[in-house]
């Protein structure tokens, strides 16, 4: 019986403690305390009432007629950005995180033609303009997953947008594409827009276009500023992947536009000056302003389209032109130049080739005609011992890889010095004046394959049989010992 009694005593003690606590606190609740609580309730009620009114205000646009909303937003977009939008579907209204309208499958129309198809558009409006559709004030527009169709007639579409007033409104474009087409409506290139924004820079007091893009699998950043007072367009292009930065100033106040471009490529500075109008484009290109290593000049005629480029250089870096990830290599792979409307000629003279010091006095002659690209009649000397000329050449794509196929004629001017350089055994030293051969070079694998070799107009079966098992790699050409051994093996086969 002792356990139940102790349990009851504990309950009574707990009860006394609770009663004591209640008495002490209830005694504190005087009339003044009740007044404070009532006053706090008024604050809470006021806050709730304000919140309800604010939410109700945010919901006002849901009561507007859809036709009025669409009409006023179209007018406002045309007024602010000079863009003619067509909304194919209903404009849905959301007030979180801030008031905006959303529409699917919209269009931008220019000269009665669709210039852009937009998967989704978001139109943000100011808080102080919700009561009436006529008072809508747009402060930001976001276009998502849009496809822009541009050609030579509207290629300046994005530049013209800079002429609008972005002081109180921004325009953004996300995850979109630009399709640039020729007169036959064929796609020349596709530019992917990751993020693009038009805004007003209060420091520069100018409208600015900043864009993060990708073209030919190469990301780049672009910034444009249009100075309407001085009639100048400032452009900055950054390609981190290539360590390339380009800044351009374009003056467009005269019939013949002019400009200057500074380039920083792999810490090498150069300058390009140019003139352009609707008929032609002329330019001069200088490498390293204070210590020039090469100079190019050229002219492009637009109608009819043909272009010429001439240049001279101390040294040519072939890896920059035709390396595995070089821009020119990627462009050739796209077959963008395989267009019968392109007529292009290139002539470059250089004293040597970087990493191939034995090749000197280079004359590179290239052309694009009738959709074909070649380097016919190009020449190069090898240590003043021979002259190499290229004929019947053609750039081709095989299984997605870039090749140069062609023929070559080698006129040997000093066979004895060649034998001395190769350390050829005396019993293999036969007189050779002319070598004719066919070749195929893979730019991706950096492999040169030779075949159909004729020496002094005679086909040698032993030499050609041995060539079937030989691939000349770039590393072989740079390794003197390996190169000499390979050449001597061929001379041994020729000597019989």
């Amino acid at each position: 019986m002792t356990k139940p009694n102790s349990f009851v005593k504990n309950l009574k003690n707990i009860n006394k403690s609770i009663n004591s606590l209640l008495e002490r606190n209830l005694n504190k609740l005087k009339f003044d305390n009740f007044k404070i609580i009532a006053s706090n309730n008024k604050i809470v009620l006021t806050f709730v009432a304000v919140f309800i009114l604010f939410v109700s205000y945010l919901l006002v646009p849901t009561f507007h007629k859809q036709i009025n909303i669409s009409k006023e937003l179209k007018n406002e977009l045309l007024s602010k950005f000079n863009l003619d939008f067509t909304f194919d579907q209903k404009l849905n209204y959301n007030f979180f995180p801030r008031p905006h309208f959303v529409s699917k499958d919209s269009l931008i129309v220019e000269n009665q033609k669709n210039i852009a198809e937009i998967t989704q558009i978001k139109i943000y409006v100011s808080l102080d303009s919700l009561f009436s559709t006529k008072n809508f004030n747009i402060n930001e527009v976001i276009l998502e997953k849009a496809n822009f169709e541009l050609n030579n007639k509207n290629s300046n579409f994005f530049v013209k947008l800079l002429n609008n007033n972005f002081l109180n409104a921004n325009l953004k474009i996300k995850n979109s594409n630009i399709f640039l087409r020729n007169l036959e409506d064929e796609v020349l290139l596709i530019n992917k827009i990751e993020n693009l924004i038009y805004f007003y820079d209060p420091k520069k007091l100018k409208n600015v276009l900043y864009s993060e893009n990708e073209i030919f699998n190469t990301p780049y950043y672009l910034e444009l500023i249009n100075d309407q007072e001085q009639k100048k367009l400032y452009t900055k292009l950054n390609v981190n992947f290539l360590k390339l930065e380009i800044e351009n100033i374009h003056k467009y106040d005269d019939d013949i536009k002019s400009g200057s471009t500074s380039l920083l490529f792999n810490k090498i500075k150069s300058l390009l000056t140019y003139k352009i109008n609707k008929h032609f484009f002329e330019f001069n290109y200088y490498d390293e302003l204070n210590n020039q290593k090469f100079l190019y000049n050229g002219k492009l005629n637009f109608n009819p389209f043909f272009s010429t480029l001439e240049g001279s250089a101390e040294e040519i870096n072939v890896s920059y032109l035709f390396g595995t990830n070089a821009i020119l290599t990627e462009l050739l792979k796209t077959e963008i130049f395989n267009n019968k409307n392109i007529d292009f000629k290139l002539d470059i003279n250089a004293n040597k080739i970087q990493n191939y010091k034995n090749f000197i006095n280079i004359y590179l002659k290239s052309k694009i005609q009738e959709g074909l690209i070649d380097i016919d009649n190009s020449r190069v000397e090898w240590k003043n011992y021979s002259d190499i000329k290229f004929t019947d050449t053609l750039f081709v794509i095989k299984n997605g890889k870039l090749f140069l196929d062609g023929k070559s004629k080698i006129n040997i001017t000093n066979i004895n010095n060649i034998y001395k350089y190769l350390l050829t055994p005396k019993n293999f030293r036969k007189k050779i004046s002319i070598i004719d051969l066919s070749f195929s070079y893979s730019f991706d694998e950096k492999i040169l394959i030779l075949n159909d070799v004729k020496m002094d107009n005679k086909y040698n079966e032993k030499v050609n049989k041995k060539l079937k098992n030989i691939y000349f790699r770039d590393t072989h050409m740079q390794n003197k010992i390996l190169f000499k051994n390979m050449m001597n093996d061929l001379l041994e086969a020729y000597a019989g």
Side-chain angles (χ1 to χ4, degrees):
M1 297 295 292
T2 56
K3 289 184 178 180
N5 289 333
S6 61
F7 178 72
V8 172
K9 288 182 180 180
N10 288 332
L11 284 177
K12 288 181 178 180
N13 290 331
I14 292 171
N15 185 50
K16 288 181 180 179
S17 299
I18 293 173
N19 288 334
S20 177
L21 182 64
L22 287 171
E23 287 177 2
R24 286 198 304 270
N25 286 281
L26 287 173
N27 289 331
K28 294 179 181 179
L29 290 177
K30 299 179 181 179
F31 180 75
D32 293 337
N33 299 115
F34 281 110
K35 289 176 62 178
I36 295 173
I37 292 173
S39 175
N40 288 335
N41 284 338
K42 289 181 181 179
I43 295 173
V44 173
L45 291 173
T46 302
F47 175 78
V48 172
V50 171
F51 178 76
I52 293 173
L53 288 173
F54 179 68
V55 172
S56 300
Y57 173 71
L58 292 176
L59 292 173
V60 166
T62 60
F63 299 99
H64 296 319
K65 291 182 179 181
Q66 183 69 208
I67 188 172
N68 293 336
I69 294 174
S70 178
K71 179 181 178 182
E72 292 303 324
L73 289 179
K74 278 173 58 69
N75 291 337
E76 182 74 3
L77 289 168
L78 185 62
S79 174
K80 283 202 169 184
F81 306 124
N82 197 27
L83 292 175
D84 186 4
F85 282 86
T86 298
F87 304 120
D88 288 345
Q89 296 189 19
K90 179 181 177 182
L91 283 158
N92 297 314
Y93 174 73
N94 296 307
F95 64 81
F96 184 82
R98 52 197 174 102
H100 66 280
F101 295 89
V102 181
S103 181
K104 305 286 186 181
D105 302 327
S106 304
L107 301 171
I108 297 178
V109 181
E110 186 176 78
N111 297 326
Q112 298 181 345
K113 291 185 178 181
N114 296 340
I115 195 173
E117 295 180 355
I118 308 161
T119 301
Q120 179 172 274
I121 179 174
K122 294 181 180 179
I123 306 170
Y124 292 84
V125 294
S126 300
L127 277 171
D128 57 356
S129 60
L130 301 181
F131 270 125
S132 173
T133 56
K134 294 182 179 181
N135 295 327
F136 279 164
N137 182 22
I138 297 174
N139 53 34
E140 186 172 71
V141 175
I142 301 177
L143 310 182
E144 297 179 352
K145 297 181 180 179
N147 290 324
F148 294 87
E149 298 283 349
L150 302 183
N151 51 45
N152 65 326
K153 295 182 180 179
N154 58 13
S155 58
N156 64 341
F157 171 79
F158 288 92
V159 177
K160 286 196 306 181
L161 284 177
L162 283 170
N163 297 332
N164 297 296
N165 184 6
F166 293 99
L167 182 61
N168 298 313
N170 298 331
L171 174 62
K172 297 180 179 179
I173 302 174
K174 298 181 178 181
N175 301 321
S176 300
N177 296 294
I178 300 173
F179 295 87
L180 183 61
R181 298 179 181 271
N182 59 16
L183 295 176
E184 285 73 34
D185 204 36
E186 299 171 334
V187 176
L188 297 177
L189 60 87
I190 301 175
N191 182 93
K192 184 178 180 181
I193 301 174
E194 300 286 352
N195 285 291
L196 182 150
I197 180 172
Y198 288 89
F199 65 97
Y200 180 80
D201 190 330
K203 293 182 179 179
K204 299 176 181 178
L205 301 177
K206 299 287 187 300
N207 288 332
V208 177
L209 161 61
Y210 178 79
S211 182
E212 300 171 2
N213 309 271
E214 183 179 295
I215 188 170
F216 302 119
N217 297 321
T218 302
Y220 70 95
Y221 305 91
L222 178 67
E223 183 177 336
L224 291 176
I225 300 175
N226 188 15
D227 189 335
Q228 296 183 20
E229 293 182 0
Q230 298 187 23
K231 304 296 182 182
K232 291 182 179 180
L233 180 67
Y234 297 87
T235 307
K236 186 174 182 180
L237 176 70
N238 197 318
V239 188
N240 291 332
F241 173 72
L242 299 174
K243 298 181 180 178
L244 173 65
E245 185 176 298
I246 301 174
E247 293 187 11
N248 180 68
I249 301 176
H250 179 73
K251 301 167 75 173
Y252 55 87
D253 54 339
D254 298 324
D255 291 337
I256 299 179
K257 280 70 175 176
S258 62
S260 62
T261 305
S262 63
L263 299 95
L264 180 62
F265 179 54
N266 200 22
K267 298 182 180 180
I268 298 176
K269 293 183 179 180
S270 52
L271 175 67
L272 171 73
T273 59
Y274 61 86
K275 294 180 179 180
I276 185 173
N277 65 8
K278 62 181 181 180
H279 300 296
F280 68 87
F281 174 76
E282 290 183 347
F283 69 91
N284 292 286
Y285 181 59
Y286 310 88
D287 176 58
E288 291 192 357
L289 303 182
N290 298 323
N291 184 21
Q292 293 180 12
K293 290 187 177 180
F294 58 79
L295 164 65
Y296 296 147
N297 60 78
K299 183 173 182 178
L300 284 76
N301 289 274
F302 301 133
N303 190 17
F305 182 84
F306 70 89
S307 59
T308 59
L309 172 63
E310 297 178 352
S312 60
E314 174 66 24
E315 182 179 76
I316 291 180
N317 190 334
V318 179
S319 62
Y320 283 153
L321 293 174
F322 298 106
T324 304
N325 296 315
I327 290 181
L328 183 55
T329 301
E330 295 301 318
L331 285 172
L332 289 170
K333 286 182 181 180
T334 64
E335 300 184 85
I336 190 176
F337 298 121
N338 297 92
N339 189 314
K340 292 186 178 181
N341 295 319
I342 297 178
D343 190 331
F344 176 79
K345 294 181 180 180
L346 168 69
D347 295 331
I348 296 179
N349 293 294
N351 294 330
K352 56 187 177 181
I353 301 176
Q354 192 177 85
N355 299 326
Y356 299 94
K357 304 299 182 182
N358 293 327
F359 291 99
I360 59 174
N361 299 330
I362 301 97
Y363 175 54
L364 178 61
K365 188 177 180 66
S366 178
K367 67 178 183 293
I368 304 175
Q369 286 181 334
E370 297 295 323
L372 302 176
I373 309 171
D374 65 63
I375 57 168
D376 288 354
N377 299 316
S378 295
R379 299 193 307 271
V380 61
E381 294 181 15
W382 186 69
K383 290 179 69 69
N384 287 321
Y385 302 160
S386 63
D387 179 78
I388 305 170
K389 183 178 180 180
F390 299 95
T391 60
D392 300 321
T393 59
L394 187 66
F395 285 92
V396 295
I397 305 297
K398 304 175 184 177
N399 298 322
K401 296 180 179 180
L402 179 64
F403 289 83
L404 174 63
D405 296 339
K407 295 181 180 180
S408 180
K409 181 181 287 292
I410 304 174
N411 291 305
I412 299 175
T413 56
N414 195 326
I415 188 65
N416 292 326
N417 283 345
I418 292 177
Y419 285 143
K420 288 179 182 179
Y421 173 80
L422 296 175
L423 301 176
T424 305
K426 291 186 177 180
N427 54 327
F428 300 155
R429 298 187 180 188
K430 298 184 68 174
K431 184 179 179 180
I432 303 173
S433 299
I434 299 175
I435 300 176
D436 293 285
L437 55 87
S438 298
F439 67 88
S440 180
Y441 181 75
S442 170
F443 290 94
D444 294 89
E445 298 173 348
K446 297 182 179 180
I447 293 176
L448 175 66
I449 299 175
L450 305 178
N451 52 62
D452 294 331
V453 176
K454 294 181 182 180
M455 295 183 176
D456 292 331
N457 298 318
K458 295 180 180 179
Y459 183 86
N460 188 290
E461 188 172 346
K462 291 182 179 180
V463 172
N464 284 281
K465 185 177 180 180
K466 203 170 191 65
L467 279 172
K468 290 181 179 180
N469 300 317
I470 297 178
Y471 293 161
F472 292 90
R473 298 182 180 274
D474 281 6
T475 52
H476 298 163
M477 303 293 286
Q478 296 180 36
N479 187 319
K480 292 182 180 180
I481 296 176
L482 187 59
F483 175 71
K484 290 177 181 180
N485 290 337
M486 295 174 70
M487 295 304 297
N488 283 323
D489 285 344
L490 293 173
L491 290 170
E492 180 183 4
Y494 178 67

